[in-house]
Amino acid sequence: MIKSVAIQGVKGSFHHIVSQQYFDENIVVDECMTFDAVIDSIIKDKSDAAIMAIENSIAGSIIPNYALIDTHNLHIVGEHYLDIQHHLMALPNQTIDDIKEVYSHPMALLQCKAFFKQYPHIKLIEDIDTAQVAQRIQENQTTNIAAIASRLAAQLFELNIISESIQTIKHNETRFFIVRTKNSEIPENEINKASIKFELDHKRGSLATILNVLSDCMLNLTKIQSLPKIETPWKYAFFVDVTFESYKDYDKAKSIMKIMAQDLKVLGEYKNARL
Amino acid sequence: MIKSVAIQGVKGSFHHIVSQQYFDENIVVDECMTFDAVIDSIIKDKSDAAIMAIENSIAGSIIPNYALIDTHNLHIVGEHYLDIQHHLMALPNQTIDDIKEVYSHPMALLQCKAFFKQYPHIKLIEDIDTAQVAQRIQENQTTNIAAIASRLAAQLFELNIISESIQTIKHNETRFFIVRTKNSEIPENEINKASIKFELDHKRGSLATILNVLSDCMLNLTKIQSLPKIETPWKYAFFVDVTFESYKDYDKAKSIMKIMAQDLKVLGEYKNARL
C-alpha cells in the first residue's frame, strides 16, 4: 500500500499534481529539491514511492533520471502523462506592467521565452522550482516579481494568474514514472507495458534483429533511444518501451532477447497509461 | 570557404574550442548567448557556419537543437567530438577556502555537483555561460568567486586553476554539429555519415522494417531516437544517424526509405569524425 511519495519540488509543483492524479489528494508528499533527494527518500524508506519526470514532448528524455533508476536498481511500477500548462502569477492587484523580474525553473523559462519577447523590461531569472517561487512571493508579499507555475500553485499560495498558458508550444506533455525500491506485485494480466534496457555491439543489423524479435512476438515499440557507452567505444545501450496485449508474448520476447542482446535489464513492467 | 562561425558562449567556451579544433585558431567567432542567436547569426549572414552542441554522453540528445536545425531547414555539414573537462578557477592566490560562490552553466554545475559535497560552504549559482563567468571574474577582479570552465578560459582570462577535472564522470564527451544555411558541396566519395529524420505510424514492426532496409543496404546505425509527435497521437518521428562505406549504398537506402517512411528528410550528409 502506497501512502507517501517523494516528489521533486514543493506542493503546487507538477510532480505534486501527478501525485494527486495518480494516487489521490490525501497522499502524503515528501518535498525534495533535487532528483537525488527524491531517490534518497525511497531508499531510506521515508517514502513508499517516488515520482520522476522522465521525458517531455519538447526536450525529449531526461537521461540522468534513467541513469538514477538504472544505477540504483529501482523498479518502474507505473507511468502518468500530464499536460503541462505554465501560468504567469503574482500577488493580487499586480499587473504585467508592475512585473520587473520573473523567477522559475530553467525548463519553464525556456518554454515560455517567446511570450516575454513582448515585455523586454522583464528580467528572467532561473530558480530551483516553479511552485517554490509562488510560495516565496506569498510568504514575503513580494511585489514586482512573478512566478511561472501551475494553476494548483496559484490556488495554494493565493496568487493571481496574470496570463494563462504562456508556454510557446501549447500542448506540452510530460511523462512521469512512479518508481519503487522493490517491485510492486502487479498481476500479470494487468501488465501491458515494459521499459527495458539492453546493450548491443556495433554490428550491422544487430538492432534490426532485436526489433524483428519484438515484432514477431507481437510487441509494439513506443519508444527507442540509443546511448553510446563512452567507456566502451562501439558499444551502445538502448532504452526501449514496448506495449503488448498478452504478458506471455512479452515473456517470450524477453527470453529471446536475453540470449541475443547483452545485459538485458527490465527497468519496469506496468500498466500502459495511454489506453 | 568558411571564415566565420557563430558559437554559443564567449571565447574560452567549449563551442569556441570546437571552432578552433574543427577549423583553426584564426577562425572569426560571433559570440552568441543563446542557440537562437547562433541560428540568427547564420540566417542573417553574419557568420558562414554555426557550431551547436547536439548530444553528450551524460544527458543524451539536446532535442531543442535538433528542432532548430529541422524547423529552419539548415544543413549539417560536419561533426566534432570534444572531451569536456571542467576546471575550477579563480583569481591567482585564491584557494578553495576563499571561495564562497561558484557560478557556471547549469549543465556544468550538474556534472560537478558531487565534487562540491565536500565543500558545503560553497554556494552553486547558475549562469548563462561557463567562460563568461571567468571573463567577469578577471574584469571585475572578483575575489571569493570561482568559475567552472575550460582550460582555454583559464588561459584567456588569466585565472588560476584551483582544481582540475572536477566533473563526476571523468570521460564526458560532447558531440557538436557544424551547421550551414546551404549545403556544403562535399564530394560524394568523402561522405560516409548522414543524419536523417523520418516519421512512422504506430504499426507493429514498422521501425524494424526500415532498419532491415538500412542493414540490407550495408548501412550502420550509430544513433536512434524516437520522439512522439504530440499533435498527432500514435505517430512517431525518428532521428537516425547512419555510417556507410559507399555513398551508392546510402543513396539506395534513401530511395527505398522515401517510399516506405513518411516525410523522409536528410538533415545532413558529412564526414564521420569517428574514423
Side-chain angles (χ1 to χ4, degrees):
Chain A
M1 180 70 186
I2 295 173
K3 287 183 183 158
S4 58
V5 290
I7 59 169
Q8 205 236 351
V10 299
K11 281 178 188 165
S13 69
F14 293 103
H15 282 79
H16 184 217
I17 297 175
V18 172
S19 77
Q20 296 197 337
Q21 290 184 357
Y22 189 85
F23 300 101
D24 62 50
E25 290 185 16
N26 301 318
I27 190 93
V28 176
V29 296
D30 180 18
E31 300 170 317
C32 303
M33 277 310 124
T34 64
F35 282 113
D36 283 319
V38 167
I39 297 297
D40 228 49
S41 180
I42 56 170
I43 286 176
K44 295 192 174 143
D45 262 336
K46 274 180 71 183
S47 306
D48 300 324
I51 293 176
M52 292 177 86
I54 199 70
E55 59 179 317
N56 73 55
S57 48
I58 297 169
S61 292
I62 304 167
I63 301 287
N65 285 0
Y66 267 104
L68 282 174
I69 293 170
D70 189 16
T71 52
H72 289 91
N73 295 311
L74 303 173
H75 298 268
I76 302 161
V77 300
E79 64 170 4
H80 188 79
Y81 292 87
L82 185 70
D83 183 33
I84 304 269
Q85 298 291 323
H86 290 300
H87 309 296
L88 187 69
M89 57 191 71
L91 287 174
N93 70 47
Q94 293 271 297
T95 69
I96 186 87
D97 298 320
D98 299 320
I99 304 306
K100 294 198 175 70
E101 293 178 342
V102 171
Y103 290 74
S104 196
H105 189 272
M107 191 65 89
L109 293 175
L110 185 73
Q111 291 170 2
C112 302
K113 207 169 49 176
F115 171 84
F116 291 101
K117 279 201 176 153
Q118 48 185 323
Y119 305 108
H121 69 283
I122 295 178
K123 208 173 143 189
L124 302 179
I125 301 165
E126 297 192 349
D127 213 301
I128 198 161
D129 181 54
T130 55
Q132 204 189 34
V133 177
Q135 187 180 32
R136 221 163 51 210
I137 290 174
Q138 180 56 251
E139 277 176 9
N140 304 333
Q141 289 288 304
T142 321
T143 52
N144 307 121
I145 303 274
I148 300 172
S150 70
R151 188 173 300 279
L152 180 63
Q155 284 162 5
L156 287 174
F157 305 118
E158 295 168 6
L159 297 185
N160 178 41
I161 293 182
I162 298 176
S163 194
E164 289 193 345
S165 299
I166 61 168
Q167 74 277 7
T168 308
I169 300 171
K170 292 304 163 200
H171 192 67
N172 167 20
E173 202 174 49
T174 298
R175 181 184 180 209
F176 295 79
F177 277 156
I178 290 82
V179 169
R180 303 194 72 182
T181 51
K182 48 187 176 294
N183 208 349
S184 290
E185 277 140 29
I186 306 170
E188 273 184 16
N189 60 359
E190 288 181 19
I191 294 173
N192 54 8
K193 190 166 186 178
S195 295
I196 54 177
K197 181 201 165 193
F198 55 82
E199 292 177 9
L200 290 173
D201 284 324
H202 181 69
K203 224 180 85 188
R204 200 176 57 243
S206 56
L207 179 61
T209 308
I210 295 283
L211 296 193
N212 286 334
V213 169
L214 299 183
S215 164
D216 290 348
C217 291
M218 313 285 280
L219 271 55
N220 286 304
L221 190 86
T222 60
K223 180 183 174 172
I224 182 164
Q225 162 124 28
S226 66
L227 269 192
K229 288 184 63 93
I230 285 303
E231 328 84 77
T232 40
W234 308 115
K235 206 163 194 177
Y236 293 82
F238 294 88
F239 289 93
V240 166
D241 288 351
V242 287
T243 60
F244 41 86
E245 281 177 22
S246 134
Y247 189 86
K248 258 192 180 163
D249 289 338
Y250 162 70
D251 214 35
K252 186 177 159 194
K254 214 164 47 169
S255 311
I256 303 173
M257 278 193 294
K258 261 183 199 155
I259 302 163
M260 297 181 67
Q262 291 152 41
D263 299 306
L264 180 78
K265 183 174 180 182
V266 176
L267 302 174
E269 301 175 350
Y270 47 93
K271 260 190 250 187
N272 186 356
R274 279 286 196 217
L275 283 187
Chain B
M1 181 70 185
I2 295 174
K3 286 184 184 160
S4 59
V5 290
I7 59 169
Q8 205 237 352
V10 299
K11 282 179 188 165
S13 68
F14 293 105
H15 281 78
H16 184 214
I17 297 175
V18 171
S19 77
Q20 294 196 338
Q21 290 184 359
Y22 190 85
F23 298 100
D24 62 50
E25 291 186 16
N26 301 319
I27 192 92
V28 176
V29 295
D30 180 18
E31 300 170 318
C32 303
M33 277 312 123
T34 65
F35 282 113
D36 283 321
V38 167
I39 297 297
D40 228 48
S41 180
I42 56 170
I43 286 177
K44 295 194 173 140
D45 263 336
K46 273 180 73 185
S47 306
D48 300 324
I51 292 175
M52 292 177 86
I54 199 71
E55 59 180 316
N56 74 56
S57 48
I58 296 169
S61 292
I62 304 167
I63 301 287
N65 285 359
Y66 267 104
L68 282 175
I69 293 169
D70 189 15
T71 52
H72 290 91
N73 296 310
L74 303 173
H75 298 268
I76 302 160
V77 299
E79 63 171 3
H80 189 79
Y81 291 88
L82 185 71
D83 184 32
I84 303 270
Q85 298 291 323
H86 289 300
H87 310 296
L88 187 70
M89 57 192 72
L91 286 174
N93 70 48
Q94 293 272 295
T95 71
I96 187 86
D97 299 319
D98 299 320
I99 303 305
K100 294 199 174 71
E101 294 177 340
V102 170
Y103 290 75
S104 197
H105 188 272
M107 190 64 92
L109 293 175
L110 185 75
Q111 291 170 2
C112 301
K113 207 170 49 177
F115 171 84
F116 291 101
K117 280 202 176 151
Q118 50 186 321
Y119 306 108
H121 69 284
I122 295 179
K123 207 173 143 191
L124 302 180
I125 301 165
E126 297 192 351
D127 214 300
I128 197 161
D129 180 55
T130 56
Q132 204 189 35
V133 177
Q135 186 181 32
R136 222 163 51 210
I137 291 174
Q138 180 55 251
E139 276 175 8
N140 305 333
Q141 288 289 304
T142 322
T143 53
N144 306 121
I145 304 275
I148 301 172
S150 70
R151 188 172 299 279
L152 180 63
Q155 285 162 3
L156 287 175
F157 305 118
E158 294 168 6
L159 296 185
N160 179 41
I161 293 181
I162 298 176
S163 194
E164 288 192 347
S165 300
I166 60 168
Q167 73 277 6
T168 309
I169 300 171
K170 290 306 165 201
H171 192 67
N172 167 21
E173 202 174 48
T174 298
R175 181 184 181 210
F176 296 79
F177 278 157
I178 290 82
V179 168
R180 304 194 72 183
T181 51
K182 50 185 173 295
N183 208 348
S184 290
E185 277 138 29
I186 307 172
E188 275 184 14
N189 61 357
E190 288 181 17
I191 294 173
N192 54 7
K193 190 166 187 179
S195 294
I196 54 177
K197 181 200 165 195
F198 54 83
E199 293 178 10
L200 290 173
D201 284 325
H202 182 70
K203 224 179 84 186
R204 198 176 59 244
S206 57
L207 180 61
T209 309
I210 295 284
L211 296 192
N212 287 335
V213 169
L214 299 184
S215 164
D216 291 347
C217 290
M218 314 283 279
L219 271 53
N220 287 303
L221 192 84
T222 59
K223 179 182 178 177
I224 182 164
Q225 161 124 27
S226 66
L227 270 192
K229 286 185 65 95
I230 285 302
E231 327 84 76
T232 41
W234 309 114
K235 205 161 194 176
Y236 293 82
F238 294 88
F239 289 92
V240 165
D241 288 350
V242 288
T243 59
F244 41 86
E245 280 177 21
S246 131
Y247 189 87
K248 258 193 180 162
D249 289 338
Y250 162 69
D251 214 35
K252 187 178 159 192
K254 213 164 47 169
S255 310
I256 303 173
M257 278 193 294
K258 262 183 199 158
I259 301 163
M260 298 181 66
Q262 290 151 41
D263 298 306
L264 179 78
K265 183 174 177 181
V266 176
L267 301 174
E269 302 174 349
Y270 48 93
K271 260 190 249 189
N272 187 354
R274 279 286 197 216
L275 284 188

